[in-house]
């Protein structure tokens, strides 16, 4: 394992070096939180794919392939569909808003009164997303170094917190691009073909496994529908995803770069399912489907390659963890703490103010990062935590966000009612049916939609001046928005 250890050590050292380099570029709030809004197509596509394809997509995707065969691709496939829908239909408008958080978008659309509750819901979602990603370090480091769970979480979490705190979005962008390359080489170009060959090829896999393993709908229609509700719609509204859209250099980058990333996700989904199916042939009696990835890596790959593939798994976890962490800190600072203090920053702040905001956001990343590590150590059930996060996000925020983008008659009162009714319905039904049940997100979404439409129609329309300013901002023509200078590409 010495060669594998060297590969992993070099990778981790590279992540910290990227963080240090990014610190030198992050000298303003815009640079720190959204990489100056100037990522080109290559960087944008790679980093967007990196953040949405985390540990659940890699380790969990292979596990679903082990359990259900090719239909196990549906979870990651619906993530790709959501990213494609976001990129094609909404990303250009979102990028033109020039905001930092989803709650700021709601304030602009509804007149400054709808973002308070949404900020709390979004903060809870991003916190749980960061926690579940951090817990995944335990699995990977256990395979690598056979170290205790707590130490693994502290080690992996500390590296992510370090480079995220140093350089903000610039550091995360650079590390995510490296992680994207490592995942592509490690999972798609190495593990996938090796796993299929070791299993005897597709003909042998079909001969060894039940026909249901090759049924595209074998996982079940209800499960696929639930994945669409949670993951496809979740991709449309998550702060961690929107914050990456804000980094795009322009409309075309946001649209076409995101489309490339979404297509990559579809390929990654199928690869994970095939690897899991091959693992089922090689190891038919694993106690847990989630052990399939680590087992096939450890037992079937040669040294050096094994280290690279484990680095790919580590890259998947780190990219999602760092993206969720900066999203959590951004929401906590800009949507919650700043509101409590009454110090929401204005566009075009002077240099001194910008530097103060960089320091403030850096402190919040550090504090949120430490909180994430502590919660990850205390929490055991990753699936339940992630399910709670996505149920609250989709049940509470999907309707007012998409309604604000698509329906002029939606009002601030309707948006607040949708968040409150949808969120409370989700919580109540999770208590009644269980956290992992499908009913909470189904009925929570319906209740949110009903409340949004009914209350919006029962209250006066949004002020015409607010809607006019909203349309100007969507078109990128807001005269009050101070544009930040775009340095020449380097």
């Amino acid at each position: 394992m010495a060669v594998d250890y060297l590969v992993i050590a070099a990778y981790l050292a590279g992540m910290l070096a990227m963080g240090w380099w990014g610190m030198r570029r992050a000298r303003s709030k815009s640079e720190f939180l959204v990489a100056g809004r100037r990522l080109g197509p290559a960087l944008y596509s790679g980093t967007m794919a990196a953040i949405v394809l985390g540990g659940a997509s890699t380790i969990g995707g292979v596990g679903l392939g082990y359990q259900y065969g090719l239909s196990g691709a549906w979870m990651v496939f619906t993530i790709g569909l959501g990213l494609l829908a976001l990129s094609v239909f909404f990303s250009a408008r979102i990028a033109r808003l020039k905001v930092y958080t989803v709650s700021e978008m709601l304030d602009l659309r509804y007149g400054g009164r709808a973002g308070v509750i949404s900020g709390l819901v979004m903060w809870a979602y991003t916190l749980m997303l960061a926690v579940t990603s951090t817990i995944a370090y335990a699995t990977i480091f256990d395979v690598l170094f056979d170290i205790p769970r707590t130490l693994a979480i502290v080690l992996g979490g500390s590296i992510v917190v370090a480079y995220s705190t140093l350089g903000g979005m610039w550091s995360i962008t650079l590390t995510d691009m490296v992680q994207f390359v490592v995942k592509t080489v490690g999972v798609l170009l190495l593990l996938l073909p090796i796993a299929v060959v070791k299993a005897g090829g597709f003909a042998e896999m079909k001969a060894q496994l039940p026909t249901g393993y090759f049924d595209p709908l074998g996982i079940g229609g209800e499960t696929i529908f639930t994945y669409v509700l949670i993951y496809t719609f979740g991709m449309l509204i998550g702060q961690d995803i929107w914050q990456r859209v804000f980094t795009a250099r322009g409309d075309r980058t946001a649209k076409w770069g995101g489309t490339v990333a979404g297509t990559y996700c579809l390929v990654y989904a199928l690869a994970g399912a095939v690897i899991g199916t091959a693992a089922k042939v090689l190891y038919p009696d694993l106690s847990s489907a989630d052990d399939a990835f680590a087992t096939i890596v450890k037992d079937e790959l040669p040294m050096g390659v094994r280290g690279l593939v484990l680095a790919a798994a580590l890259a998947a976890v780190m990219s999602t963890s760092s993206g969720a962490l900066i999203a959590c800190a951004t929401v906590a600072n800009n949507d919650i703490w700043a509101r409590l203090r009454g110090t929401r920053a204005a566009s075009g702040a002077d240099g001194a103010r910008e530097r103060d905001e960089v320091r403030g956001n850096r402190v919040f990343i550090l504090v949120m990062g430490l909180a994430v590590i502590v919660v990850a150590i205390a929490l055991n059930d990753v699936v339940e935590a992630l399910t709670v996060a996505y149920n609250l996000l989709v049940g509470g925020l999907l309707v007012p966000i998409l309604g604000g983008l698509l329906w002029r008659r939606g009002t601030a009162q309707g948006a607040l009612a949708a968040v409150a009714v949808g969120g409370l319905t989700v919580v109540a039904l999770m208590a009644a049916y269980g956290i992992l049940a499908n009913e909470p997100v189904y009925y929570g979404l319906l209740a949110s939609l009903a409340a949004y439409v009914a209350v919006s129609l029962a209250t006066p329309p949004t002020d015409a001046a607010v809607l006019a300013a909203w349309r100007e901002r969507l078109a990128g023509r807001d005269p009050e928005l101070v544009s930040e200078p775009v340095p020449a590409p380097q």
Side-chain angles (χ1 to χ4, degrees), residues 43-54 83 176 180 183 244 257-258 260-262 264-265 268 319-320:
L43 277 177
Y44 181 85
S45 298
T47 58
M48 182 62 88
I51 188 176
V52 300
L53 296 174
L83 186 52
D176 276 1
F180 169 74
K183 278 192 288 192
R244 294 310 175 95
V260 171
Y264 178 90
C265 292
Y268 200 87
S319 57
T320 299

Side-chain angles (χ1 to χ4, degrees), residues 11 62 104 207 286 291 305 335 361:
Y11 169 76
V62 172
E104 286 183 48
L286 292 178
D291 292 337
V305 174
D335 292 335
N361 281 291

Side-chain angles (χ1 to χ4, degrees), residues 24-212:
R24 302 177 62 185
R25 304 194 66 165
R27 299 185 183 278
S28 69
K29 179 181 178 180
S30 175
E31 294 281 352
F32 191 81
L33 293 182
V34 291
R37 307 187 193 276
R38 54 194 178 98
L39 295 192
L43 277 177
Y44 181 85
S45 298
T47 58
M48 182 62 88
I51 188 176
V52 300
L53 296 174
S57 300
T58 303
I59 299 171
V62 172
L64 288 172
Y66 183 89
Q67 190 172 359
Y68 298 105
L70 297 185
S71 67
W74 273 106
M75 184 188 76
V76 183
F77 201 83
T78 56
I79 291 174
L81 292 178
L83 186 52
L84 285 172
L86 174 70
S87 301
V88 173
F89 298 113
F90 300 109
S91 62
R93 283 184 284 175
I94 292 170
R96 286 196 294 264
L97 290 174
K98 303 295 184 185
V99 294
Y100 293 102
T101 67
V102 174
S103 294
E104 286 183 48
M105 167 264 169
L106 292 173
D107 281 348
L108 286 171
R109 168 60 180 82
Y110 295 110
R113 292 173 291 171
V116 180
I117 297 178
S118 67
L120 291 171
V121 174
M122 192 63 75
W123 175 78
Y125 157 73
T126 53
L127 179 70
M128 284 296 100
L129 184 61
V131 165
T132 54
S133 300
T134 303
I135 291 174
Y137 295 128
T139 301
I140 299 171
F141 280 105
D142 178 60
V143 175
L144 287 172
F145 306 118
D146 192 24
I147 60 177
R149 175 180 183 275
T150 298
L151 182 58
I153 290 173
V154 171
L155 177 60
S158 297
I159 292 170
V160 170
V161 171
Y163 72 70
S164 301
T165 302
L166 286 172
M169 186 59 82
W170 265 122
S171 292
I172 293 171
T173 295
L174 296 171
T175 55
D176 276 1
M177 196 62 198
V178 174
Q179 289 158 358
F180 169 74
V181 172
V182 170
K183 278 192 288 192
T184 301
V185 174
V187 175
L188 297 185
L189 302 184
L190 292 177
L191 181 58
L192 174 61
I194 290 174
V196 172
V197 170
K198 292 283 188 178
F202 285 104
E204 183 65 19
M205 290 163 63
K206 285 185 176 181
Q208 293 286 336
L209 297 173
T211 56

Side-chain angles (χ1 to χ4, degrees), residues 331-474:
V331 171
N333 188 17
N334 290 268
D335 292 335
I336 299 176
W337 179 243
R339 289 176 190 274
L340 294 176
R341 297 179 63 201
T343 57
R344 291 300 294 272
S347 297
D350 59 34
R353 176 65 176 273
E354 286 279 297
R355 287 190 293 273
D356 287 342
E357 291 189 4
V358 170
R359 284 194 290 268
N361 281 291
R362 187 171 277 139
V363 169
F364 265 86
I365 290 180
L366 179 60
V367 171
M368 290 297 104
L370 294 176
V372 164
I373 291 173
V374 170
V375 175
I377 291 172
L379 199 63
N380 287 317
D381 199 319
V382 179
V383 176
E384 288 194 358
L386 195 60
T387 301
V388 170
Y390 271 101
N391 281 352
L392 286 173
L393 177 71
V394 174
L397 292 182
L398 178 69
V399 169
I401 291 173
L402 294 189
L405 290 169
L406 300 173
W407 192 39
R408 288 187 59 188
R409 189 59 181 82
T411 65
Q413 295 89 339
L416 289 170
V419 175
V421 171
L424 290 174
T425 301
V426 164
V427 171
L429 292 179
M430 283 192 296
Y433 289 96
I435 289 176
L436 299 180
N438 294 326
E439 288 82 359
V441 71
Y442 293 169
Y443 296 120
L445 197 53
L446 290 174
S448 180
L449 178 61
Y452 182 70
V453 173
V455 174
S456 291
L457 293 176
T459 52
T462 304
D463 184 83
V466 172
L467 286 178
W470 165 253
R471 287 193 296 271
E472 288 295 302
R473 184 68 78 92
L474 274 180

